[in-house]
Amino acid sequence: MQCLRQQTLQPFRAHRQTSSRAVAVRVRCAAGAPTVVVTREHGKNGKLMAALSKHSIQCVELPLIEHAPGPDRDRLPGLLQAGAFDWVACTSPESAAVFLEGWRAAGSPKVRVAVVGGGTGEVLAAAGVTPEFTATKALGKALGKVMGAELPHIPGGSDVVLYPASVKASTDLQDSLAAAGFSVQRINTYNTIGISTVDQALLQQALAADVVTFGSPSAVKAWVALVGLQAASQKMNVCIGSTSARACGNVGLPADTIIFPDAPGIEEWARCVLQGLQKIGKLPAVVA
């Protein structure tokens, strides 16, 4: 596993929808330890916090995003019941959770599911759905290219892929699948929105941290909107993958403060956090 630095910066184009719901910050204390902010939605930060706690790292939990239903959410059960597709494509743990909700509402029909990322497959497997295809890479723009190049055609099938997507998802996946001869039925089933209001006293604890972690572009935008670009630029910014890293560059964060792994996974993400802490002298150069 290699941690990469963001090199290419692009102008920030702000398209942000926020929620006014206030959130609390949970702190796992360890005196004198380096401090890391974790910003995924409620219930999704535990694995990263557990991985970091092995190195006596203090975590400040500050959820900066939440998920909301997309405009096509109610269509999913009917489409799953109709079964006029060869594959359902799930590209994130949240898309897997949304799929499962619709799948149960449809009566748990037999479907063939393709996924990207181990975390996405784990969500499905925990519910008794075994993915029949997993893309070999799950980072950024490579996601769409890899699935398009690798997803097998089903002999005698319809060559239709049902894609329950985020409202904010790019067209990379559907474009790649279309180029490979598939017809993609995209439905926007959920949206990721940034949280704009937090307790200010608790936010100060996050501002005192050494590293901020991001699992989505929405979290990046929400953080910068809350604290300002100058304050955000003083932190090491460690992203789950290249898509969030590009978002950091797009909002204007310095390239030498942005780190992300070249392979997906919580352990890889945690290792990049350790590298960020080493870079600023908060951990020894080598961490077991």
Side-chain angles (χ1 to χ4, degrees):
M1 194 281 300
Q2 181 182 9
C3 295
L4 307 176
R5 298 281 171 78
Q6 178 73 3
Q7 298 297 331
T8 304
L9 302 184
Q10 301 173 355
F12 173 46
R13 299 172 178 84
H15 300 288
R16 186 172 64 90
Q17 178 182 2
T18 60
S19 164
S20 60
R21 184 171 67 85
V23 299
V25 178
R26 177 160 58 94
V27 180
R28 182 173 295 173
C29 295
T35 307
V36 173
V37 183
V38 293
T39 62
R40 299 180 97 175
E41 64 270 35
H42 283 286
K44 299 290 180 68
N45 291 301
K47 289 183 178 180
L48 180 59
M49 293 174 73
L52 295 175
S53 69
K54 297 175 184 177
H55 303 279
S56 300
I57 293 170
Q58 175 176 310
C59 292
V60 178
E61 187 175 20
L62 180 65
L64 291 178
I65 64 167
E66 60 185 357
H67 293 296
D72 301 326
R73 184 81 157 244
D74 293 341
R75 295 177 56 201
L76 182 56
L79 291 170
L80 291 171
Q81 285 178 331
F85 51 83
D86 288 342
W87 293 98
V88 179
C90 293
T91 59
S92 70
E94 182 61 23
S95 71
V98 170
F99 159 76
L100 288 170
E101 178 187 286
W103 176 72
R104 293 186 185 104
S108 305
K110 183 173 177 55
V111 294
R112 188 181 292 109
V113 183
V115 303
V116 294
T120 305
E122 288 173 6
V123 171
L124 294 170
V129 177
T130 301
E132 296 189 33
F133 169 85
T134 301
T136 59
K137 194 170 185 180
L139 289 175
K141 292 185 176 180
L143 179 157
K145 295 178 181 178
V146 170
M147 182 172 278
E150 295 180 347
L151 189 66
H153 291 265
I154 304 302
S158 64
D159 283 336
V160 175
V161 176
L162 179 62
Y163 176 29
S166 165
V167 170
K168 292 184 171 67
S170 73
T171 63
D172 290 341
L173 176 59
Q174 61 211 75
D175 293 345
S176 176
L177 288 169
F182 289 98
S183 176
V184 181
Q185 185 171 7
R186 171 174 173 161
I187 55 172
N188 292 322
T189 54
Y190 70 98
N191 196 8
T192 303
I193 58 177
I195 289 172
S196 60
T197 303
V198 299
D199 182 277
Q200 291 302 302
L202 295 175
L203 180 60
Q204 296 307 310
Q205 297 181 53
L207 283 168
D210 306 298
V211 169
V212 183
T213 62
F214 300 110
S216 70
S218 295
V220 174
K221 295 171 187 176
W223 173 249
V224 173
L226 280 171
V227 307
L229 182 59
Q230 182 176 358
S233 297
Q234 303 306 309
K235 310 296 181 186
M236 291 301 299
N237 302 286
V238 183
C239 301
I240 194 170
S242 60
T243 301
S244 298
R246 282 196 300 273
C248 286
N250 288 343
V251 299
L253 293 175
D256 63 354
T257 70
I258 305 167
I259 302 175
F260 62 97
D262 65 351
I266 295 296
E267 292 300 327
E268 289 76 10
W269 194 9
R271 289 190 191 103
C272 285
V273 171
L274 299 181
Q275 185 183 96
L277 290 168
Q278 291 165 8
K279 178 177 172 20
I280 59 176
K282 298 295 289 189
L283 282 179
V286 176
V287 176

